[in-house]
Amino acid sequence: MNSSIVISQSDGRPMYLQIMEQIKQKVAVGEWAPGEEIPSIRMMSVALRVSVITVKRAYLELEREGVIFTQHGKGSIVAKDPGLGPRLYDQEFEEHMEQVVRIGSLLGLSEQQIAFRLTETAIRLNEAQQNDAVSSDEDLAKETL
Amino acid sequence: MTDLAVQFTGVTKQYKHFTLQNVNLELATGSIMGFVGANGAGKSTTIRILMGLIHQDSGAVKVLGHDMPADQAAAKRDIGFVSEDMRLYGPATVAWHMEFIRSIYPQWDKLYAEDLLRRFDIKKEQKVKGLSHGQRVKAALLLALARRPRLLVLDEPTTGLDPVARREVLAELTAVLADENRTILFSSHNTLDVEQISDQITFIDRGSIIDSANKEIFLDGWRRLRLMLPPNTPLPQLPGVVEVGGSNRLPVLTISHFDPAMVAACQQAGASVQAVDPMTLEEIFVVNVQNRREKAIA
């Protein structure tokens, strides 16, 4: 049934994170629909051959993130509005930021310097966009002339 | 109050060349405890005391509410025990053993036993002396499982099994826990197995329990920090550093009680934190034991 979740022992991440990620994907692609009942912690633990405590932790964190909802004595369901789209982007954003900071400090940049470079990049991208807009306005003006 | 299947309080056992010192253990009903330690650390001694096979010099042992060793006959009705050195009768068949156990334990589950034969790929007409090591281990496990005991005590259940047999055994053990009134304690030096299926991890070394904790909390406490220090900067002083490796400028710290605030502390001390890596149980095990041995020599 639900053993379509695969735990990899060569994946460096803790098992609970692997379970969380794969449940989120199931929800994101709609395999597990909002409001749908999902396997109990013990059922999931048997299916995945991992300890109850690991599955419990994955479920707790998923609940904290609003992906699933657990009713006492009734089991868990997928949240009515798991809102995974924006949240997955948010997570990706966070990961990229961490990468920027890590590489920045490898280059010997201070926190302020990293922040400054980031602002600079934002301004540069913004200007480039505006220039594009302006130049297309100019093109338009030329054409009309 | 949590319901405890096993409770050791200040248990001590002295031998000429080995002492089990002040062992305190608690195993909650409905969970699996993995018992980890090097060879000769005291795993089997602890398990034998739990089973009433040897008697502690001092301290209290309670198993399923029974005092051990005084009340061991009553306790054993509900304990299934499999150890490496457990012998089945060579000339007798697996079926004979099943019938023998069934005659002693009224709660023997015949359907489950047949099911296990199929899943473990054992022919019950076969004589024990004709079985491979893996099949013998699985047969012994079958005899314990089909009694549906409330507590399973397994000494090295996956040692010497091929990958397929190991997987079958682990699957069966986690399946037992689908019933939350049942409990498992197993010892192993296969840290991958312990990491995968235990709720609680207990580390034993040289006759003492070093750590006994919820697996998630335990694994979360251990981290490897890779730092980069500016020239001539001293290493930041952090609590719980078990090992310092790497080089002067690129030190690697192994920490036993990690706290995210340590990252900020490192940065304040002028170091940049390159990575905070989680560790596998195997890595933790090795660092832990080596560190203690070095201390003992020093």
Side-chain angles (χ1 to χ4, degrees), chain A residues 9 12-16 42 45-55 57 102 105-108 111, chain B residues 30 167 170-171 174-175 177-180 192 195-199 214-216 220 228 267 272 274 278:
Chain A
Q9 287 184 323
R13 294 169 309 157
M15 286 185 289
Y16 83 93
R42 280 198 185 253
S45 142
V46 173
L48 299 183
R49 298 183 194 88
V50 300
S51 55
V52 169
I53 203 128
T54 300
V55 179
R57 176 157 187 204
R102 198 170 307 134
S105 60
L106 269 177
L107 286 170
E111 276 169 39
Chain B
R167 200 182 149 86
L170 292 184
T174 43
L177 268 283
D179 176 351
E180 47 195 282
L192 269 181
E195 188 168 343
Q196 187 177 340
I197 70 168
S198 333
D199 295 313
N214 169 315
K215 179 185 69 184
E216 293 293 324
D220 259 5
M228 185 162 74
Q267 282 159 346
S272 78
Q274 306 292 306

Side-chain angles (χ1 to χ4, degrees), chain B residues 122-191:
Chain B
I122 300 171
K123 291 182 185 65
K124 63 176 173 183
E125 301 78 23
Q126 226 176 331
K127 284 182 178 157
V128 167
K129 65 181 173 193
L131 298 178
S132 68
H133 170 74
Q135 284 174 316
R136 269 180 225 205
V137 172
K138 287 192 285 184
L141 205 58
L142 178 153
L143 294 172
L145 284 167
R147 287 171 40 209
R148 294 206 181 270
R150 280 163 60 205
L151 173 65
L152 269 169
V153 180
L154 312 168
D155 199 358
E156 304 279 349
T158 55
T159 305
L161 295 185
D162 67 56
V164 177
R166 239 189 73 220
R167 200 182 149 86
E168 288 165 349
V169 168
L170 292 184
E172 232 25 75
L173 296 186
T174 43
V176 165
L177 268 283
D179 176 351
E180 47 195 282
N181 295 313
R182 302 179 65 193
T183 311
I184 298 178
L185 184 143
F186 77 108
S187 73
S188 181
H189 22 237
N190 188 327
T191 49

Side-chain angles (χ1 to χ4, degrees), chain A:
Chain A
M1 33 155 230
N2 49 60
S3 44
S4 50
I5 289 179
V6 176
I7 306 238
S8 161
Q9 287 184 323
S10 57
D11 187 324
R13 294 169 309 157
M15 286 185 289
Y16 83 93
L17 281 180
Q18 297 185 41
I19 298 172
M20 280 178 71
E21 186 192 88
Q22 291 180 55
I23 290 182
K24 279 188 200 168
Q25 283 168 349
K26 277 181 186 298
V27 173
V29 303
E31 209 169 278
W32 285 3
E36 189 180 320
E37 198 176 322
I38 67 171
S40 73
I41 291 173
R42 280 198 185 253
M43 291 284 293
M44 186 62 103
S45 142
V46 173
L48 299 183
R49 298 183 194 88
V50 300
S51 55
V52 169
I53 203 128
T54 300
V55 179
K56 195 186 246 172
R57 176 157 187 204
Y59 275 35
L60 277 175
E61 306 257 340
L62 284 170
E63 187 162 357
R64 200 168 299 150
E65 293 186 8
V67 179
I68 64 169
F69 180 68
T70 304
Q71 299 151 293
H72 263 292
K74 278 191 179 168
S76 305
I77 56 167
V78 178
K80 293 275 190 291
D81 173 25
L84 271 181
R87 209 168 298 125
L88 283 178
Y89 279 125
D90 198 60
Q91 206 178 342
E92 202 183 329
F93 179 69
E94 194 61 38
E95 278 163 19
H96 279 94
M97 293 291 274
E98 279 171 18
Q99 197 69 5
V100 165
V101 173
R102 198 170 307 134
I103 296 172
S105 60
L106 269 177
L107 286 170
L109 299 178
S110 71
E111 276 169 39
Q112 287 89 338
Q113 280 170 320
I114 292 170
F116 182 70
R117 289 279 288 268
L118 209 56
T119 320
E120 248 184 1
T121 310
I123 292 171
R124 185 165 49 80
L125 285 178
N126 235 332
E127 277 173 358
Q129 259 174 11
Q130 269 168 14
N131 281 342
D132 275 357
V134 170
S135 59
S136 57
D137 279 354
E138 278 170 2
D139 287 346
L140 207 69
K142 268 179 205 157
E143 269 170 37
T144 43
L145 267 174

Side-chain angles (χ1 to χ4, degrees), chain B residues 251-269:
Chain B
V252 180
L253 308 180
T254 306
I255 294 172
S256 64
H257 291 87
F258 177 73
D259 177 339
M262 289 176 177
V263 173
C266 283
Q267 282 159 346
Q268 263 172 11

